[in-house]
Amino acid sequence: MEITTTDMGLAARVQSLTKTYGEGASVVRALDDVSVGIRRGQFTAIMGPSGSGKSTLMHIMAGLDAPTGGRAWIGDTEITGLGDHQLTLLRRRRVGFVFQAFNLVPTLDVRANILLPFDLDGRRPTTSERARIDGLIDTLGLGARLGHRPHQLSGGQQQRVAIARALATAPDLVFADEPTGNLDSRTGREVLALLATASREHGQSIAMVTHDPIAASHADRVLFLADGRIDADKPRQTPEQISAHMLSAEVAS
Ligand SMILES: Nc1ncnc2c1ncn2[C@@H]1O[C@H](COP(=O)(O)OP(=O)(O)OP(=O)(O)O)[C@@H](O)[C@H]1O
Ligand SMILES: [Mg+2]
C-alpha cells in the first residue's frame, strides 16, 4: 500500500516538481526537481532570492497553477491531473492564499472581499465563524474600513484584507506570499503572531514566503530556495542564523 501524505504528517507535498516557462534558448526553469512537504500544523517559512521560484512553488502546491512535470498533493488528494471543477472545490474548502499582489476584487468593499470565500461556496458564515472573522477584522485593524473599496485603501491595508480573507474560513492550509511586505513593523508582528497562532493553537498548516529574516524566525522551519531548487531545509532559526545563511548563499552564487 502506498504511504499517504497524511501518514507522512504532511498537509501538502510535491514530488519531482519541475516548472519551465518558454521554449528553446529562452526557456526559464522556475522549478527544477523539487520534492518537499508542508508539515501538518507547522508554520513554514520559504526564503530565497527574487526569481528563485518561491511564488511558483506555492501556486503549484495550492493548485493555482499546473507543473510541467512531477506530482502534487493536498492532503491525500493528488491535485495534478484533477479536473478544474474538483480542484476549485478542494481549494475553496481547504486552502487560503494571500497573493503577493493581494488579488482583491476591486468592485467589492472590504467586508465583501473578506466574506468572498463564503459567497463562492454558496453559504453564509455560522455564528462562530462570524465571531472569528470579527476577531480577525479587529486584530488586523480593519474595523473602520469595512465599507471601503480596495482602491481607497493603502497597500498595507489591502494586504491586511487579503490576510483576513485567506484566514476567514479557517482553512487547513494557508499559503501567504510575502504577507508582511507592505506592513509597518508593529502590524507585521501582529500578522506573524496571527499566523503562528493559527498553526500552534488551531493546527493549521502555514507556508509563508518572506525576505525578512525576523519574519522567518517566527516559523518552525525555514526552507531556502535557490535557482528553482531547495537549497536548505532547517528547523527554527534565529534572525542572525537566517541572515548568515542568506549571505553565504549569495556569496556561493
Ligand atoms: N508567467 C511567467 N512567464 C515566464 N516566466 C515566469 C512566469 N512566472 C514566473 N516566471 C519566471 O520564473 C522564475 C521564478 O519566478 P517566481 O515568481 O516563482 O520567483 P519568486 O522567488 O517568487 O521571486 P520574487 O521574490 O521576486 O517574488 C523567474 O525567473 C520568473 O521570471
Ligand atoms: Mg514571488
Side-chain angles (χ1 to χ4, degrees):
M1 206 178 76
E2 199 178 350
I3 297 176
T4 67
T5 304
T6 305
D7 292 338
M8 296 164 85
L10 302 176
R13 76 180 156 116
V14 296
Q15 190 182 303
S16 309
L17 207 63
T18 57
K19 178 75 176 178
T20 54
Y21 292 105
E23 282 173 14
S26 63
V27 71
V28 173
R29 191 171 288 274
L31 293 176
D32 183 8
D33 195 21
V34 173
S35 298
V36 72
I38 298 300
R39 297 195 191 112
R40 198 167 284 281
Q42 265 201 354
F43 183 10
T44 302
I46 302 175
M47 303 193 81
S50 179
S52 59
K54 304 178 299 293
S55 295
T56 306
L57 176 62
M58 292 224 300
H59 287 165
I60 295 174
M61 288 194 112
L64 292 161
D65 197 0
T68 309
R71 302 168 74 187
W73 291 260
I74 291 176
D76 290 333
T77 308
E78 183 170 357
I79 58 171
T80 25
L82 213 59
D84 273 353
H85 180 64
Q86 284 169 301
L87 191 55
T88 302
L89 284 183
L90 180 74
R91 217 168 44 216
R92 208 178 269 167
R93 297 196 173 144
R94 307 272 298 274
V95 180
F97 207 104
V98 182
F99 290 90
Q100 198 167 6
F102 317 141
N103 289 14
L104 300 176
V105 180
T107 51
L108 297 179
D109 68 12
V110 166
R111 184 193 305 277
N113 264 289
I114 294 173
L115 293 175
L116 189 64
F118 294 94
D119 280 347
L120 291 173
D121 207 24
R123 67 187 188 92
R124 293 189 172 282
T126 61
T127 309
S128 67
E129 284 172 329
R130 280 207 172 272
R132 201 190 49 250
I133 292 164
D134 287 345
L136 283 170
I137 289 169
D138 196 39
T139 306
L140 292 166
L142 292 168
R145 289 284 183 273
L146 291 175
H148 287 68
R149 300 230 238 112
H151 75 270
Q152 298 169 309
L153 303 175
S154 71
Q157 288 165 340
Q158 292 182 46
Q159 187 152 38
R160 283 179 273 151
V161 176
I163 292 163
R165 182 179 62 182
L167 296 176
T169 57
D172 298 344
L173 190 54
V174 176
F175 294 97
D177 203 343
E178 292 197 56
T180 59
N182 288 278
L183 303 180
D184 61 76
S185 55
R186 189 182 67 85
T187 315
R189 273 199 305 277
E190 276 167 13
V191 166
L192 290 166
L194 204 65
L195 296 174
T197 305
S199 67
R200 198 175 324 112
E201 286 171 24
H202 307 294
Q204 288 165 275
S205 313
I206 317 282
M208 171 186 76
V209 170
T210 181
H211 288 282
D212 176 4
I214 295 176
S217 72
H218 288 254
D220 302 306
R221 176 190 187 195
V222 188
L223 295 176
F224 293 92
L225 258 72
D227 292 330
R229 291 172 162 269
I230 306 271
D231 180 46
D233 179 352
K234 298 190 182 251
R236 182 186 292 274
Q237 303 276 291
T238 64
E240 293 73 25
Q241 288 172 312
I242 294 167
S243 301
H245 183 91
M246 289 164 76
L247 269 176
S248 68
E250 266 173 37
V251 171
S253 67

